[in-house]
Amino acid sequence: MGRGTEKMYQQIINHLQSLANPKIAEHSQRFFKTGKGEYGEGDLFMGIRVPIIRQAVKKFKIVPLPTLKRLLKSKFHEIRLFALLSLIYQYEKTEQQEKIFKIYLSNTRYINNWDLVDTSTPNIVGDYLQDRDRSILYKLAESDSLWERRISILATFKFIRNGQFKDTLLISETLLNDDEDLIHKAVGWMLREVGNRDIKTEEKFLKKHYKNMPRTMLRYAIEKFEEEKRQKYLKGKI
């Protein structure tokens, strides 16, 4: 790493450290389930709110990609979030989309909490794959990593926004029997987003699968239905 790159890395670290708040950090440690056996086990927080991190991204603007790769490996959650938001910024502002996509998929072990996935996946993975082969998402859906499986379904949010539902439905089928509550929530959320644009497509999927869905997945998927219809789904009377 060159002297200039090292200098920027240290400037970013120093700036983020100056924004740290121990009270916020303590709350975040609990909120993001960092205790033993929880999904965020061992994650560390500095205590910086997301809007403040976004301001820091705007302050530093175009950060060298090697620096962002190094920041993404930080033990601190907010530094990893800074790196991801910076990658999104550069993805949108520069011509390095392929490099950024590859960096993202090569570092999924550090994109290891639901907010990190949800904030970044649609804007990088989903966007990059809009007009490309999407088979990587089906591999991620079969991964042992909870976060890679969440990436697989969250990437389809970008497709949903463009009226493309096929991958969401196929990946949802793959994840129907997943053991993790965070996957149930993500799949239910994406099915609800499909329904917001095409209720017939969502209901066709639900009528086929709702009796075997995890309860949380179903509740998320039907959250915006009229109460009478919601109750029919919940009671298995559709």
Side-chain angles (χ1 to χ4, degrees):
M1 186 173 287
R3 187 175 298 175
T5 308
E6 176 64 32
K7 182 179 179 182
M8 176 167 278
Y9 171 82
Q10 203 55 56
Q11 285 175 339
I12 292 168
I13 295 294
N14 291 343
H15 180 67
L16 293 175
Q17 286 176 338
S18 74
L19 301 170
N21 182 316
K23 286 187 177 179
I24 295 174
E26 186 179 345
H27 173 267
S28 296
Q29 296 280 156
R30 294 193 301 272
F31 182 76
F32 286 101
K33 306 297 184 185
T34 62
K36 187 171 178 57
E38 295 181 311
Y39 61 74
E41 181 177 352
D43 205 354
L44 297 176
F45 286 80
M46 302 169 75
I48 312 172
R49 301 288 191 200
V50 174
I52 304 300
I53 298 173
R54 291 188 184 277
Q55 289 175 15
V57 170
K58 291 179 181 178
K59 172 183 172 67
F60 287 97
K61 295 182 179 176
I62 304 300
V63 179
L65 294 181
T67 301
L68 292 181
K69 286 167 69 176
R70 186 177 173 191
L71 291 167
L72 190 52
K73 297 175 182 178
S74 172
K75 64 182 180 180
F76 288 106
H77 189 101
E78 292 92 341
I79 294 177
R80 299 199 302 281
L81 179 57
F82 173 92
L84 291 168
L85 291 173
S86 292
L87 285 171
I88 294 170
Y89 181 87
Q90 290 197 52
Y91 183 93
E92 294 171 350
K93 301 289 185 183
T94 71
E95 300 298 320
Q96 300 192 86
Q97 285 82 8
E98 184 176 1
K99 281 186 179 179
I100 291 168
F101 173 75
K102 288 180 176 179
I103 287 171
Y104 194 94
L105 288 187
S106 297
N107 290 278
T108 54
R109 68 176 75 79
Y110 306 111
I111 308 168
N112 56 353
N113 216 310
W114 59 264
D115 64 314
L116 302 179
V117 172
D118 298 2
T119 299
S120 59
T121 294
N123 296 297
I124 295 177
V125 180
D127 188 84
Y128 186 78
L129 295 178
Q130 278 187 102
D131 303 311
R132 294 179 173 87
D133 176 62
R134 299 173 182 177
S135 57
I136 183 62
L137 297 183
Y138 294 85
K139 292 179 183 177
L140 292 172
E142 300 280 2
S143 172
D144 290 336
S145 164
L146 158 63
W147 308 117
E148 289 189 345
R149 299 199 304 278
R150 191 165 173 113
I151 286 170
S152 75
I153 189 67
L154 259 294
T156 72
F157 200 176
K158 193 73 174 185
F159 313 153
I160 294 169
R161 287 169 173 162
N162 292 324
Q164 301 171 13
F165 310 132
K166 179 182 176 182
D167 295 290
T168 303
L169 300 177
L170 289 174
I171 291 171
S172 293
E173 283 189 330
T174 298
L175 297 173
L176 276 176
N177 298 313
D178 201 280
D179 293 332
E180 294 286 350
D181 189 59
L182 283 173
I183 298 299
H184 304 166
K185 290 177 179 178
V187 172
W189 172 22
M190 290 303 102
L191 291 173
R192 185 175 74 234
E193 292 293 339
V194 170
N196 286 344
R197 293 156 179 84
D198 187 338
I199 189 62
K200 289 183 179 179
T201 296
E202 183 191 7
E203 286 215 69
K204 182 179 179 181
F205 181 91
L206 289 177
K207 286 172 182 176
K208 181 179 179 182
H209 296 294
Y210 82 99
K211 288 186 177 179
N212 300 315
M213 272 184 175
R215 202 68 167 172
T216 298
M217 187 184 295
L218 178 61
R219 286 185 179 278
Y220 269 62
I222 64 175
E223 187 178 275
K224 294 190 177 179
F225 286 12
E226 292 180 358
E227 184 61 20
E228 184 179 353
K229 185 189 285 187
R230 252 180 29 88
Q231 289 304 321
K232 284 183 178 180
Y233 272 103
L234 292 171
K235 293 173 181 177
K237 295 181 178 180
I238 290 294

